[in-house]
């Protein structure tokens, strides 16, 4: 199959994404408007008959002082990753990006390599010899993903370090997902562990209500998010970031981003943002107050979001990143523990890959990032 690559309009790009069963929210055209510190471009792959068969959102970040760029395709591009002629897809892209002044290309193929169900993860947590997810036998392995990784290596792509550098925008390699396809909601609820089911009941009994918010409620979201940032020691994004995200994503598709609050006696105790692209729904940011935890607002909110995702016809509810550590002393362990309670599965992607178009500048960037 001979392919040609050229830049496409945002409208063409969006129409292609809408024709797919799902794609990452980092690959929709409007994501470029969220990431204002990057320059962006929409790429399209066309087959012999002139049909658009693949698309990619490229973000360009300029190096200090010189007109050379890191080209980044977060969780993309959206192409046929299992094509035996992967070269024919990626070589034209590299040639184009080089022509645009890129010294290095980073991409994140949306290709799943392994899955672990909750039972396997729980057994791993209980085993004192197990410290990481990869020490646990996977419930499902995708052999085609290993072929993709082999092809990339042969082409000269290098596997990025796990959670490595990348201007702080590196996407998680391990995520936690609740599969919804071909399951009833009853079945999904039965998959939750006892503690989760008890907490959902507790919230219901206490009269916790979960409501959807709008743009005007983002300031209240920010209040809870900043409380969370202090408690969990991270630097919060500013309110303007979420306002921009809301505006640009919902202008592209009125159902792209949602905001939820769990409240008790009229007081908002927790909040979350949700992103929707086709059949893939993400819980993207979460926040909670230091008060009212005994009425379990976060469990109530997740259950409502999951039910809404199900009602939209979603095939997967994605709780986003987890660490691969199963060590109870690890500071990120609580995250996987909370998510495992939903009865979903840990999912490992093939991770991010780099192609140094200019080895010297690529190396300089690596050194610069490691010192930050």
């Amino acid at each position: 199959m001979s392919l040609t690559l050229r830049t496409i309009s945002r409208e063409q790009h969006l129409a292609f994404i809408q024709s797919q069963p799902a794609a990452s929210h980092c690959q929709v055209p409007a994501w470029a408007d969220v990431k204002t510190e990057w320059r962006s471009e929409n790429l399209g792959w066309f087959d012999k008959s002139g049909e658009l068969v693949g698309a990619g959102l490229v973000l360009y970040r300029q190096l200090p002082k010189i007109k050379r760029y890191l080209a980044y395709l977060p969780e993309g591009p959206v192409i046929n990753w299992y094509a035996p002629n992967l070269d024919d897809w990626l070589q034209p892209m590299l040639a184009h990006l080089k022509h645009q002044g890129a010294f290095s290309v980073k991409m994140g193929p949306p290709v799943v390599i392994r899955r672990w169900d909750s039972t396997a993860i729980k057994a791993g947590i209980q085993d004192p010899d197990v410290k990481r997810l990869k020490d646990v036998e996977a419930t499902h392995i995708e052999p085609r993903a290993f072929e993709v990784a082999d092809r990339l290596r042969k082409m000269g792509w290098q596997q990025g370090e796990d959670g490595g550098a990348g201007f702080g925008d590196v996407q998680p390699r391990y995520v936690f997902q609740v599969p919804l396809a071909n399951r009833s909601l009853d079945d999904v609820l039965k998959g939750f562990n006892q503690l989760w089911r008890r907490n959902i009941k507790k919230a219901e009994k206490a009269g916790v209500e979960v409501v959807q918010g709008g743009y005007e409620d983002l300031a209240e979201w920010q209040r809870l998010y900043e409380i969370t940032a202090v408690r969990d020691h991270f630097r919060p994004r500013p309110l303007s970031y979420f306002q921009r995200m809301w505006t640009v994503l919902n202008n592209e598709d009125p159902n792209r981003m949602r905001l939820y609050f769990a409240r008790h006696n009229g007081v908002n105790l927790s909040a979350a943002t949700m992103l929707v692209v086709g059949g893939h729904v993400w819980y993207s940011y979460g926040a909670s107050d230091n008060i009212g935890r005994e009425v379990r607002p976060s469990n109530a909110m997740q259950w409502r979001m999951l039910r809404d995702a199900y009602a939209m016809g979603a095939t997967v509810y994605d709780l986003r990143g987890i660490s691969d550590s199963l060590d109870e002393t690890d500071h990120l362990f609580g995250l996987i523990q909370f998510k495992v309670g939903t009865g979903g599965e840990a999912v490992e992607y093939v991770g991010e890959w780099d192609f140094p178009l200019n080895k010297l500048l690529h190396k300089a960037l690596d050194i610069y990032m490691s010192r930050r």
Side-chain angles (χ1 to χ4, degrees):
M1 173 163 121
S2 66
L3 293 162
T4 51
L5 177 126
R6 59 177 182 267
T7 54
I8 54 174
S9 69
R10 289 177 65 135
E11 292 69 32
Q12 282 173 295
H13 187 165
L14 182 60
F16 178 76
I17 295 286
Q18 285 166 337
S19 74
Q20 301 298 299
S24 167
H25 60 271
C26 301
Q27 279 295 304
V28 301
W31 193 250
D33 302 326
V34 176
K35 299 289 169 191
T36 48
E37 67 278 29
W38 301 71
R39 177 167 72 81
S40 70
E41 194 177 36
N42 308 78
L43 296 183
W45 282 258
F46 294 84
D47 67 11
K48 271 206 291 273
S49 68
E51 191 189 340
L52 184 60
V53 289
L57 174 70
V58 186
L59 301 174
Y60 291 99
R61 174 67 77 89
Q62 191 174 339
L63 271 183
K65 301 191 178 65
I66 55 170
K67 274 223 175 333
R68 298 304 291 276
Y69 304 87
L70 169 71
Y72 183 34
L73 294 97
E75 296 183 6
V78 184
I79 59 173
N80 177 9
W81 284 98
Y82 301 120
N85 61 334
L86 198 51
D87 277 46
D88 295 354
W89 290 82
L90 296 178
Q91 291 304 346
M93 178 182 88
L94 287 173
H96 172 83
L97 298 175
K98 188 173 189 172
H99 185 69
Q100 292 293 307
F103 68 89
S104 186
V105 181
K106 182 184 282 293
M107 66 177 183
V111 173
V112 170
I113 202 157
R114 276 183 274 257
R115 297 176 189 272
W116 294 262
D117 66 19
S118 292
T119 313
I121 300 166
K122 280 178 208 153
I125 290 169
Q126 279 152 13
D127 184 338
D129 295 332
V130 166
K131 291 287 178 251
R132 306 215 159 266
L133 258 179
K134 55 175 173 282
D135 303 334
V136 178
E137 197 176 330
T139 321
H140 176 78
I141 288 178
E142 177 51 77
R144 294 184 307 168
F146 290 94
E147 289 167 24
V148 171
D150 280 345
R151 284 189 190 125
L152 291 174
R153 264 185 222 105
K154 285 194 181 101
M155 279 183 242
W157 288 85
Q158 301 166 0
Q159 193 147 25
E161 294 302 308
D162 278 5
F167 297 111
D169 275 275
V170 163
Q171 303 304 320
R173 180 164 184 173
Y174 294 90
V175 300
F176 202 87
Q177 299 177 346
V178 181
L180 300 177
N182 309 316
R183 295 176 75 189
S184 69
L185 262 182
D186 265 2
D187 179 37
V188 174
L189 184 60
K190 279 194 191 106
F192 280 40
N193 70 11
Q194 249 177 326
L195 182 64
W196 261 86
R197 291 202 300 268
R198 214 171 34 237
N199 286 343
I200 290 167
K201 274 212 173 74
K202 197 184 243 181
E204 216 170 289
K205 236 190 190 133
V208 170
E209 31 158 17
V210 180
V211 296
Q212 262 186 268
Y215 179 87
E216 65 288 352
D217 302 300
L218 285 168
E220 174 62 0
W221 146 265
Q222 191 71 15
R223 179 185 74 81
L224 291 168
Y225 173 63
E226 286 179 10
I227 291 170
T228 310
V230 171
R231 185 177 64 237
D232 294 348
H233 313 290
F234 65 85
R235 201 167 78 206
R237 291 189 181 274
L239 173 59
S240 58
Y241 180 83
F242 295 102
Q243 288 172 328
R244 182 168 71 243
M245 199 170 163
W246 181 275
T247 306
V248 301
L249 292 178
N250 288 335
N251 276 349
E252 179 175 274
D253 180 330
N255 200 30
R256 185 76 82 222
M257 181 176 175
R258 291 181 171 202
L259 176 62
Y260 287 83
F261 291 98
R263 57 172 64 143
H264 186 241
N265 296 335
V267 178
N268 292 318
L269 299 175
S270 61
T273 62
M274 179 201 259
L275 297 174
V276 183
V277 184
H280 204 127
V281 171
W282 292 264
Y283 152 54
S284 96
Y285 284 90
S288 61
D289 206 330
N290 298 325
I291 56 165
R293 297 184 148 206
E294 67 288 347
V295 295
R296 305 298 174 198
S298 293
N299 299 86
M301 185 172 63
Q302 287 296 340
W303 178 229
R304 162 72 191 275
M305 288 165 73
L306 205 148
R307 290 198 322 267
D308 284 3
Y310 187 89
M312 281 186 248
T315 52
V316 62
Y317 180 70
D318 196 322
L319 291 131
R320 285 299 274 170
I322 50 169
S323 145
D324 70 334
S325 172
L326 297 182
D327 181 352
E328 297 191 17
T329 60
D330 191 300
H331 72 290
L332 291 169
F333 176 74
L335 200 59
I336 193 166
Q337 204 174 27
F338 177 75
K339 294 176 182 183
V340 163
T342 61
E345 52 189 23
V347 175
E348 181 191 0
Y349 284 89
V350 293
E352 296 202 314
W353 294 72
D354 296 308
F355 196 100
L357 292 164
N358 178 320
K359 291 194 168 62
L360 200 67
L361 285 176
H362 179 83
K363 187 92 189 108
L365 177 77
D366 267 359
I367 293 165
Y368 168 69
M369 293 311 295
S370 65
R371 284 183 187 155
R372 284 180 71 183

